[in-house]
Amino acid sequence: MQKKILIFGLCIIALFGCKNSNKRVLTSATGSIYELLVVIDNRYWNSAAGDSLRELLEAPTPCLPQVESYFTVNQAPLNTFDNLLMPTRNILIVDVDAEKYTQTKIGYSTDRWSHPQAVVRICCPNEKAFADCVDRYGEKIRKYFVDEELHRQADFYRTYCNHSASKEIEKKFGIEILIPNDMVKIDETEDFYWVCDARGQVRKDIVIYSYPYTDSNTFTLEYLLNKRDSLLGNHVKGSIEGSRITTERKHILPELNEIYVNDKGYCAEVRGLWKMQDGLAMGGPFVSHSRVDEINHRVITVESFIYGAGTKKRNPMRQMEAVLYTVKLPQEQNALPTLEVQPSK
């Protein structure tokens, strides 16, 4: 009897082993966040088209207090792209070859050689086609890599989430959001919620606030900034009495971008710098998402801002920005159709 049980157990193990044998086991991706490897022959990397690609990828990240590029870019020729480089987390491959290609093709893939990984492959017949591709699709390719990094960070928060804060926010505002595990509550009122992670060199804050939605004029830059200064100024104070947070409007002007979160509802994305008014010389970058809660007829704004004197801010700012993309409004949770919001020009 024991022998039969042993044989049966071995058969079960073998069966499951066969079923799982076809699954690829991927190594962990190498490289840092917002690091990008461009695989391209030196001839084309040092051409005019290569210069345009490099300028695009190394363009300054918008609305940071110091110049920091979108990506930290490294380059390697095609004939050196081996098993050591293949696991890199972000890879852009440019293959220019008239014998292999008659027209330009662009391919997007994830987890090709490692996890998590994003790969874009551009195949062109000649240098002119490569230049045209950069000019026409360059910004889309750059956005793809940025979006992939944001999605990875959001996935991380699904595992390391402050469930207590997330549940409190859901009860107060009716929204779902993934609050990072290291953030603690600082303040809470009827229409305002504030969490912070003050550890380390960079302080990270997230605020959520709401107010009635009246019409599309809500989604103008001036209206959103005035509402921001009013609400945050009442809650986020400095160490000197009378000081309060406000928006920096002189040195780097705030930007309003119209985006669609998860390809669904309209979102007013505002980027800019904050400063402490009538207080210590403090400031840093912020990014906010303002959207309409269709069920409760109100605007909900989720904003992240950071402070770190003398530190680089691109990576921590992007990490906090990823939190904004985890938000689900009441109408999204209940699968109700959203109203079309026409932003005011």
Side-chain angles (χ1 to χ4, degrees), residues 30 74 91 101-102 119 121 126 137 162 166-167 172 175 203 210 212 239 247 251 261 266 277 322 325-327 339:
T30 60
N74 299 303
I91 304 176
Y101 312 113
T102 58
V119 179
R121 187 180 187 94
N126 50 57
Y137 300 105
N162 183 337
S166 294
K167 288 179 180 178
K172 176 180 293 294
I175 67 172
R203 173 186 169 120
S210 65
S239 58
T247 305
H251 300 293
V261 177
Y266 170 83
Q277 184 171 318
Y325 285 91
T326 70
V327 172
L339 299 179

Side-chain angles (χ1 to χ4, degrees), residues 156-175:
F156 176 82
Y157 294 144
R158 288 185 177 90
T159 303
Y160 300 96
C161 175
N162 183 337
H163 295 287
S164 176
S166 294
K167 288 179 180 178
E168 286 186 351
I169 293 169
E170 184 174 8
K171 183 177 180 180
K172 176 180 293 294
F173 296 100
I175 67 172

